[in-house]
């Protein structure tokens, strides 16, 4: 079993395709993918639905809609066509720099 960089509950065969799809979505404000920025809080796949919980670095993020649309598009591209994709924007717990991956911290010079 390969670990996802966020909580994942669903079929094992979908884990890596989901991580790959989400890793293609870039937050244009920081030029890093949403997985490395720590914007993905969790993904559940059950009963014909993929539910992704994501956040933004700030409630004032000017590209929220763009990021959410890209997340849905990338997941839809790689998932079985019968799977309903639901992307939920959440604000709890608040995002913090602690959520950055090690590679994101290195990229930012931390």
């Amino acid at each position: 079993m390969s670990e996802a960089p966020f909580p994942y509950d669903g079929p094992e065969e979908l884990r890596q395709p989901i991580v790959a799809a989400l890793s293609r979505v870039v937050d244009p404000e920081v030029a890093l993918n949403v997985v490395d920025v720590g914007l993905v809080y969790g993904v559940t796949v059950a009963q014909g639905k993929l539910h992704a919980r994501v956040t933004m670095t700030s409630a004032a993020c000017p590209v929220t809609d763009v990021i959410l649309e890209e997340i849905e598009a990338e997941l839809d591209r790689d998932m079985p066509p019968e799977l309903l994709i639901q992307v939920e924007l959440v604000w709890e717990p608040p995002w913090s720099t602690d959520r950055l991956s090690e590679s994101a911290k290195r990229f930012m010079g931390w």
Side-chain angles (χ1 to χ4, degrees):
M1 174 166 93
S2 179
E3 234 5 75
F6 46 79
Y8 174 77
D9 183 19
E12 189 57 36
E13 65 271 11
L14 293 181
R15 180 188 304 264
Q16 285 309 314
I18 289 169
V19 172
L22 292 171
S23 295
R24 290 192 301 266
V25 179
V26 174
D27 180 334
E29 291 192 308
V30 292
L32 292 166
N33 73 65
V34 297
V35 174
D36 283 337
V37 178
L39 299 183
V40 181
Y41 279 5
V43 174
T44 302
V45 180
Q47 300 176 343
K49 180 170 71 173
L50 184 155
H51 180 233
R53 294 177 62 246
V54 299
T55 195
M56 297 295 129
T57 57
S58 160
C61 178
V63 292
T64 298
D65 290 341
V66 170
I67 292 171
L68 294 176
E69 287 171 11
E70 285 188 29
I71 288 171
E72 186 169 345
E74 289 298 331
L75 287 168
D76 193 45
R77 186 173 107 175
D78 286 2
M79 294 298 103
E82 67 277 4
L83 195 62
L84 174 68
I85 308 294
Q86 178 187 27
V87 180
E88 178 186 9
L89 179 63
V90 298
W91 298 108
E92 293 296 325
W95 181 87
S96 75
T97 55
D98 294 341
R99 297 196 48 85
L100 292 168
S101 71
E102 288 305 313
S103 62
K105 289 176 184 174
R106 283 191 303 278
F107 178 81
M108 295 178 149
W110 295 1

